[in-house]
Amino acid sequence: MFPYRTVVSKILLIFILLLLASCAVVPPVSKLPEQYTLTRLDKVSSVSKIAWHPDSQQYAVSSGGLVVGRIDGPIHRVHSIEPAAIAWSPTGSLLAISDPDQEQSKIRILATDDWRVLAEIELPGQVRDLAWRDDEQLVLASVHLSYYSFGGNYKVQLYHWRQNEELVSATIVDSSPLKSTLDSLGKQIYDTVNLQISPFRDEVAFTRYSLTPNAGNHYRLVVRNLDTGRERVVAKITNETNGGHYFGDGDSLFYTDGYRQSLAKTIWDTAPYEAYPAGLNLEISPGGRYKLIDRQLFKDRNADFSFDRIDSAAFSPDGSKMLFITDGILYLLTGLKDIQPERLPISQRLLDLRRWRSEELITPQEFINYVEQMENQ
Amino acid sequence: MRCLLIVFITLLCCSPVLATETDPCIECHRQKTPAAVLQWQQSAHVGAGVGCADCHGSDHERLLSKEDMVDAAVCGKCHQDEFAEHTGSRHGMGLHAGWGCTRNLAGRDPAECRFCHEEGSTLPVSKVQCARFLKQSSEMGALGCNRCHQVENNCASCHSNHLTDARISEDPKICAKCHMGPDHPQWEMWETSLHGTLYYSAGPEVGPSCQNCHMSSGTHDVSIGLTSPPSMKPYPQEQQLQQRQAMIAICSQCHAPEFANRELSAADIIRQQSLDIIKQAVDVVQDINDRNLLDPKPSDRPAHPLRGHELVTDGQMLYEDYSHLERLLFKMKKYSLAKTVKGAYHQNPAYTHWYGNAELKMDLVDIRSEASRLKQGAGESSVDGKGANKPSIDDALKILKKKFERGAISQQEYDSAKKVLMQKYLESSE
């Protein structure tokens, strides 16, 4: 008699083993240097946004709603809206989220002690970039798109929102792309701004798309002083990169030109730049010691190790950790030893000097001289 | 033989009359436009065999729709030398200098398209660039601007439409219809100068007319001998010298060249002195603008048709939608400067001094006084900026930069003044 039972049970066993093997978590790095530790935190959406709390212990991600967690604890879903942008206020007591619809976006400010909604505002266009200037003022970039027979109008509006005060706005991008340009960019056009606020919270870096019918499409990395509205074009880039990332000194940016090299460069060209391999998605630790170029981690100026894949990542404000998402799983990398950013404490005098430099009332060299004079005083 | 000669002379004398009778337009137009027909019949054109269609064309539809107009180019087909001289002269320039379309200006009158375009066409027929013209209503533009500034393309401005009598264009009064008034009273200053009074008292053989000096020997180049454009800023040295020699040659028909040179050189000096006074006034206005004290500020006014929201103090300065201080400057530049300088070159003492120079100096007093009032209103001292509310460091740096950018201070002065400001700032308590 054929041993049906034995064969079936063996087949079932093999099937179960295969099933278990496929579910097992394969670490997204084949050889992790021993000074680092990798911890699997939770399942999240692959396209989640990550935002660190200023204390470097908590974080928020968008995954089927707004999810917050501690690095040593479980995650909690605290709000039903799955935000397109998340930003903790400088003290961490508030958290701003954006919920863009087709034509407009709802911005909510939540109290982080009980997650109640403190304020809400609706803005035209899609808001996918948020940053806090201080605990009372939010800076938002909204992308507006209008379609016409010949193409469309692509406009980015920068808003300053202070509760109970009139909204202040400025147009920072305004161009008229051809229909073919709009078709090729698709929904990517809403994620084009890449707004980053400086450590001094007095200026922002963003990507400016100039989509013109006659002169072609151009992409620029721009720095804009929030008080004066004066801008400086830092570099030509491509449309596939994720913008500029501030060094902790507030005077340099880490960005990629998208095809040739990644650069660590001073905004006002006051020092030689450092070149790194090209990439598309970059991150930098606050002290600037660690740089992530796509899936490769650089320590100081050298390649340290590579992840198998990274969908998105964020260094903690203290520079000791990095959260990243790979294939819908949130990981925590610890053991980083960042350096302290070389910068003066934020003072009104320093902000004045930075503002005057943006308005070209003082030259970049005069700025350096006056900062040195302040340090010596 | 004698009979044949009599018949030939009779036919020659009657030929204009015969010509007028054979022109196909005459029968109707004798009733519809009798004055035009009468004037043409009395003109030299009849004798030369120039009929209506030779100038107007024969397409009635195009004539009625004003597509076929008799412009200077039509006259130029026969009067080639005169046309060439005219187009190369200041009269031939008119307002043509390359201008911007007004279609996007807020509140602009669509009727003004006709100044530059044929109806239904986007092709410009004119290249006018004049901010004051662009601010006008269509009606004011047509009468107040174009009635004179059509001279560039319209010989009839001086010659009339159908008459060809040289007495019309040789009479100085024909110049008066445009060259008069507060901004360029050349007619009045000639009429009351020794040249003009002699013209009227002793006759044209003694007193020279406008044409004697500016269209000498019948030239249509009215710019001969002029050493500066309407802005009064002198031409480059070489061009000035060339022009001056040409004018002295004209003056020398009556005067000793040394005398002419001396008188014109004195006028040159008065022109430069007057421009210096204007510069002082412009500096005051720009300084007040640097301090954001103009009321209304350029940023708060309707946009200037050519420059938007910047302060304009040059030849494109408007006389509306600006501050009282600028109104004083406009009057000074447009009226007082013109009277002083043109008065000097036209040898008119009253225009040079009382209508011109004295007004220029009094205008400068008014401008300084108004500037002082504005500074005091803002809490600044009128003398050295040491009033109760000194400009903030921000404002002081901005004022300094604007001064440097418009050339009021040198790089060295700028750097040194900035250094003083910054040292004070860094040494002050935060």
Side-chain angles (χ1 to χ4, degrees), chain A residues 37-330:
Chain A
T37 311
L38 190 63
T39 313
R40 179 187 184 273
L41 292 181
D42 242 304
K43 276 189 178 178
V44 291
S45 155
S46 291
V47 290
S48 293
K49 299 266 171 140
I50 307 170
W52 276 99
H53 187 281
D55 68 3
S56 295
Q57 298 299 311
Q58 304 170 68
Y59 59 87
V61 290
S62 53
S63 184
L66 173 65
V67 172
V68 295
R70 293 189 63 86
I71 54 168
D72 51 359
I75 59 172
H76 303 283
R77 189 163 171 263
V78 294
H79 201 80
S80 58
I81 283 177
E82 180 163 350
I86 312 168
W88 296 82
S89 69
T91 61
S93 61
L94 303 169
L95 188 134
I97 54 172
S98 165
D99 177 25
D101 198 354
Q102 199 63 32
E103 301 279 320
Q104 57 185 17
S105 300
K106 198 176 283 179
I107 316 299
R108 284 182 174 166
I109 295 175
L110 312 175
T112 54
D113 50 0
D114 56 4
W115 301 109
R116 69 188 188 282
V117 177
L118 289 177
E120 181 177 304
I121 190 171
E122 282 194 4
L123 292 174
Q126 293 223 5
V127 176
R128 290 171 176 271
D129 296 87
L130 295 172
W132 289 88
R133 270 204 89 173
D134 50 47
D135 268 46
E136 291 175 355
Q137 193 183 166
L138 202 55
V139 181
L140 318 104
S142 170
V143 177
H144 303 248
L145 212 53
S146 316
Y147 292 93
Y148 302 105
S149 58
F150 58 84
N153 179 245
Y154 161 72
K155 195 154 87 168
V156 180
Q157 207 79 16
L158 190 71
Y159 290 96
H160 294 248
W161 180 31
R162 196 184 283 271
Q163 235 184 301
N164 305 322
E165 280 186 22
E166 206 173 325
L167 208 59
V168 178
S169 76
T171 302
I172 56 170
V173 185
D174 192 351
S175 65
S176 304
L178 291 170
K179 196 169 178 302
S180 55
T181 306
L182 286 174
D183 289 344
S184 68
L185 284 168
K187 287 193 172 179
Q188 184 202 332
I189 200 160
Y190 292 112
D191 278 313
T192 49
V193 185
N194 301 313
L195 191 80
Q196 296 274 337
I197 196 156
S198 81
F200 293 99
R201 300 188 182 273
D202 60 341
E203 64 183 30
V204 287
F206 66 94
T207 308
R208 169 171 287 147
Y209 276 41
S210 296
L211 310 171
T212 58
N214 295 326
N217 301 331
H218 305 280
Y219 314 96
R220 299 283 185 273
L221 180 59
V222 179
V223 164
R224 180 186 174 95
N225 187 285
L226 292 169
D227 292 317
T228 65
R230 295 293 291 265
E231 294 179 349
R232 178 172 173 83
V233 175
V234 179
K236 292 179 185 176
I237 53 174
T238 68
N239 65 332
E240 292 165 317
T241 67
N242 68 343
H245 303 263
Y246 273 99
F247 275 72
D249 67 359
D251 261 0
S252 308
L253 285 174
F254 185 48
Y255 65 93
T256 169
D257 61 14
Y259 56 94
R260 207 170 51 197
Q261 58 187 350
S262 302
L263 297 106
K265 183 172 175 282
T266 54
I267 294 167
W268 292 88
D269 294 326
T270 45
Y273 65 84
E274 287 177 10
Y276 294 85
L280 293 178
N281 292 300
L282 310 186
E283 296 295 335
I284 187 169
S285 66
R289 186 179 203 187
Y290 295 97
K291 299 174 186 75
L292 185 69
I293 302 174
D294 291 338
R295 60 192 181 86
Q296 190 163 37
L297 188 74
F298 282 76
K299 184 181 169 188
D300 297 321
R301 294 193 63 176
N302 308 311
D304 203 0
F305 68 93
S306 280
F307 296 91
D308 294 337
R309 181 183 160 177
I310 283 191
D311 295 323
S312 61
F315 286 96
S316 63
D318 65 3
S320 67
K321 301 175 264 301
M322 185 180 86
L323 280 169
F324 65 95
I325 297 168
T326 298
D327 291 329
I329 297 172
L330 182 67

Side-chain angles (χ1 to χ4, degrees), chain B residues 46-97:
Chain B
V46 176
V50 179
C52 305
D54 292 314
C55 298
H56 292 283
S58 51
D59 188 333
H60 229 222
E61 290 296 314
R62 289 174 64 85
L63 277 172
L64 288 173
S65 65
K66 299 197 172 176
E67 283 177 85
D68 281 348
M69 298 288 284
V70 181
D71 59 17
V74 171
C75 308
K77 284 180 193 168
C78 297
H79 302 279
Q80 290 165 2
D81 290 347
E82 291 80 0
F83 179 64
E85 287 166 357
H86 169 77
T87 49
S89 79
R90 198 167 290 175
H91 268 174
M93 283 164 58
L95 288 171
H96 285 198

